[in-house]
Amino acid sequence: MWKTMLACHQQQCRLIEDLKLDTSCAPAKTTDFHLKNTLQLECEFENWQRNLENLVATQKYYLNSMCKWLLLHIIEIESDGKRMPDSPEKMSSPPVYEFAKAWFEALKHINSDASLHAMKQFSNLIHELKLHQTEELKQKKKLDQLKKQLEKKEHALKVHMMKQEEKQSEGVLNITENSLTKAIEASVKLLKERVESEKDKYEKMCMKSGNMTLISLQKGLPPVLNAMKDFANNYCQHYTKLFFLTMPEGAPIQREPIPVLQITL
């Protein structure tokens, strides 16, 4: 399992190193689909981080419990069908205890801090991206609503101007109606300016989201993959040593090569 995981992370590291990303790869704007994917990525990454913590903690707890249990029962194991020695110190430890002890010591030398730290850093980037994408979609909704208001006001102004032209042709136009026309035009103008301002704000948010997406991939993901590669390699080496402990003395040692995975994008 650890050899396969190591090969997988090695291949992922090579792919991300060869991946050339620039602003043309960034999404032009955030959609509900993009936000949904970001939420899913955040959720899956949190699960990965939590499962890694549980894996390390559970294995250490299991081996520690096993060593304690075996230590308490060494006398029973060694004395089964034999004469009891004068003291436990004179007894030899059973092979299963020595193996469990070696396994537990190996786990104590496997440090997951670097992997968990890299995961935490990347999770923070994803979380920030999620928050920004959420605000961008809110801004888009606000801009769309303002555009609809502007369309209604422009239509109302157009209808009003047509009526004004009719009244002017009939010679019944008065000063009050002229003032009303100016007020409507001023209102439309102010709304246009607001729409342009909110549009400019939205476009800047879109650009920032795209840049944040690239930064997450370029700066956040490689440390995670490299840390996991080292973590898997560390596990692989320790479990290989443990495997050799189970082999009969003098048995030929055959080292299996790390599998090469073919990953296509």
Side-chain angles (χ1 to χ4, degrees):
M1 180 184 80
W2 292 107
K3 286 183 179 180
T4 302
M5 185 180 292
L6 175 59
C8 179
H9 290 310
Q10 287 175 333
Q11 184 73 351
Q12 289 172 338
C13 287
R14 287 192 290 269
L15 287 173
I16 200 68
E17 288 172 0
D18 295 338
L19 194 60
K20 305 299 181 182
L21 297 174
D22 53 37
T23 53
S24 63
C25 302
K29 59 182 180 180
T30 298
T31 63
D32 290 332
F33 178 74
H34 290 136
L35 180 58
K36 180 180 178 181
N37 286 341
T38 302
L39 291 171
Q40 182 181 1
L41 178 60
E42 182 182 37
C43 180
E44 293 299 332
F45 222 84
E46 288 176 352
N47 288 336
W48 188 13
Q49 182 178 348
R50 183 166 52 252
N51 290 335
L52 180 63
E53 289 178 308
N54 291 338
L55 170 68
V56 175
T58 301
Q59 283 193 329
K60 288 181 179 179
Y61 178 79
Y62 170 73
L63 265 301
N64 187 36
S65 300
M66 179 183 289
C67 287
K68 289 180 179 179
W69 184 86
L70 288 172
L71 187 61
L72 291 173
H73 292 76
I74 284 177
I75 295 178
E76 287 81 351
I77 295 173
E78 287 291 312
S79 62
D80 186 18
K82 301 178 182 178
R83 180 177 177 275
M84 287 282 290
D86 297 335
S87 65
E89 288 78 10
K90 295 181 180 180
M91 299 174 61
S92 62
S93 299
V96 65
Y97 174 73
E98 292 298 329
F99 178 76
K101 185 178 178 181
W103 191 354
F104 183 59
E105 289 299 319
L107 290 178
K108 290 199 296 186
H109 288 86
I110 297 176
N111 194 338
S112 61
D113 291 346
S115 299
L116 293 174
H117 177 72
M119 285 182 169
K120 182 63 177 176
Q121 294 295 103
F122 188 57
S123 294
N124 291 339
L125 290 175
I126 297 173
H127 184 69
E128 290 177 7
L129 176 61
K130 179 195 70 175
L131 294 179
H132 189 79
Q133 287 180 330
T134 301
E135 290 302 314
E136 181 187 331
L137 289 176
K138 288 181 180 178
Q139 180 65 18
K140 182 180 184 300
K141 184 177 180 180
K142 180 180 179 181
L143 179 60
D144 291 341
Q145 290 175 344
L146 288 174
K147 284 182 176 180
K148 289 179 179 179
Q149 292 179 22
L150 180 59
E151 288 177 0
K152 290 180 180 179
K153 286 202 171 188
E154 286 180 332
H155 178 71
L157 177 60
K158 184 177 179 181
V159 172
H160 178 76
M161 294 299 296
M162 290 174 63
K163 292 180 179 179
Q164 290 294 86
E165 290 176 1
E166 291 177 2
K167 290 182 178 181
Q168 187 174 8
S169 64
E170 295 173 359
V172 293
L173 192 64
N174 55 50
I175 298 175
T176 303
E177 291 174 336
N178 284 334
S179 299
L180 179 60
T181 301
K182 291 180 181 179
I184 296 175
E185 288 176 340
S187 176
V188 171
K189 182 180 178 182
L190 286 174
L191 188 54
K192 277 185 177 180
E193 292 174 353
R194 187 181 175 189
V195 167
E196 288 300 318
S197 175
E198 297 296 338
K199 180 181 178 182
D200 182 62
K201 182 179 178 181
Y202 171 66
E203 289 175 348
K204 289 180 180 178
M205 293 178 75
C206 291
M207 185 178 297
K208 184 176 180 180
S209 289
N211 291 334
M212 289 178 70
T213 301
L214 293 179
I215 290 173
S216 298
L217 291 174
Q218 291 175 326
K219 296 185 177 181
L221 191 55
V224 173
L225 297 179
N226 280 307
M228 286 303 300
K229 179 186 67 175
D230 295 339
F231 178 76
N233 184 48
N234 201 358
Y235 249 106
C236 189
Q237 290 179 357
H238 281 290
Y239 272 94
T240 299
K241 292 177 182 178
L242 288 171
F243 173 73
F244 292 151
L245 291 178
T246 65
M247 299 182 66
E249 187 175 350
I253 298 176
Q254 295 181 352
R255 297 181 180 271
E256 296 181 5
I258 296 175
V260 178
L261 303 182
Q262 298 296 327
I263 301 178
T264 57
L265 297 176

